[in-house]
């Protein structure tokens, strides 16, 4: 599963259908261009809380996946703790692969609480 998700992230990056980095992801979410936010499993708690609240408010699905190094490597960068997928097709494919997992935004609640 990991290879498929990271491969899709790489394809989306080459197609120009992602935003990465805190400010770019925040801008994509707030401008309603993000269809999915992926946070690294080792992202800082402040980042997790900030994006969790933002995705809940703007109703954008959010998943935790991989490490900062793995996400960055998949998109051709060094380290990335957050990525916004700005293409509906890529986002839906990744959500299917990642399953329900930790999700915020779709149903208004964190499913793990």
């Amino acid at each position: 599963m990991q290879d498929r998700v990271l491969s899709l992230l790489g394809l989306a990056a080459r197609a120009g259908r992602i935003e990465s980095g805190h400010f770019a992801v925040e801008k994509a979410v707030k401008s309603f261009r993000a269809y999915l936010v992926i946070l690294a499993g080792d992202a800082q708690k402040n980042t997790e809380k900030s994006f969790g609240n933002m995705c809940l408010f703007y109703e954008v699905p959010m998943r935790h996946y991989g490490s900062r190094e793995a996400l960055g490597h998949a998109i051709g960068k060094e380290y990335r703790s957050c990525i916004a997928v700005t293409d509906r097709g890529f986002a839906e494919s990744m959500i299917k692969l990642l399953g329900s997992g930790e999700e915020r935004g779709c149903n208004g609640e964190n499913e793990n609480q």
Side-chain angles (χ1 to χ4, degrees), residues 61-91:
M62 185 177 87
R63 301 288 193 279
H64 289 85
Y65 189 75
S67 66
R68 292 179 298 166
E69 185 177 357
L71 290 180
H73 182 71
I75 63 170
K77 306 286 185 187
E78 190 172 348
Y79 296 103
R80 287 294 184 259
S81 59
C82 54
I83 297 174
V85 180
T86 59
D87 180 84
R88 184 182 305 251
F90 279 119

Side-chain angles (χ1 to χ4, degrees), residues 15-75:
R17 303 293 188 209
I18 66 162
E19 296 291 338
S20 66
H22 187 88
F23 295 112
V25 171
E26 182 177 349
K27 185 176 178 181
V29 170
K30 289 182 176 181
S31 64
F32 301 99
R33 293 186 304 115
Y35 292 98
L36 171 66
V37 171
I38 299 176
L39 279 183
D42 57 353
Q44 293 182 4
K45 294 295 179 190
N46 289 341
T47 302
E48 182 179 340
K49 182 174 179 167
S50 170
F51 280 106
N53 292 335
M54 187 186 322
C55 288
L56 183 65
F57 182 80
Y58 288 95
E59 298 180 352
V60 175
M62 185 177 87
R63 301 288 193 279
H64 289 85
Y65 189 75
S67 66
R68 292 179 298 166
E69 185 177 357
L71 290 180
H73 182 71
I75 63 170

Side-chain angles (χ1 to χ4, degrees), residues 1-14 36 38 65-66 70-71 74-75 85 89-99:
M1 180 179 76
Q2 181 177 9
D3 292 339
R4 294 179 70 190
V5 172
L6 295 178
S7 293
L8 275 174
L9 272 175
L11 285 172
R14 287 189 291 281
L36 171 66
I38 299 176
Y65 189 75
L71 290 180
I75 63 170
V85 180
F90 279 119
E92 288 174 356
S93 296
M94 288 180 208
I95 289 170
K96 284 179 188 175
L97 288 172
L98 294 170

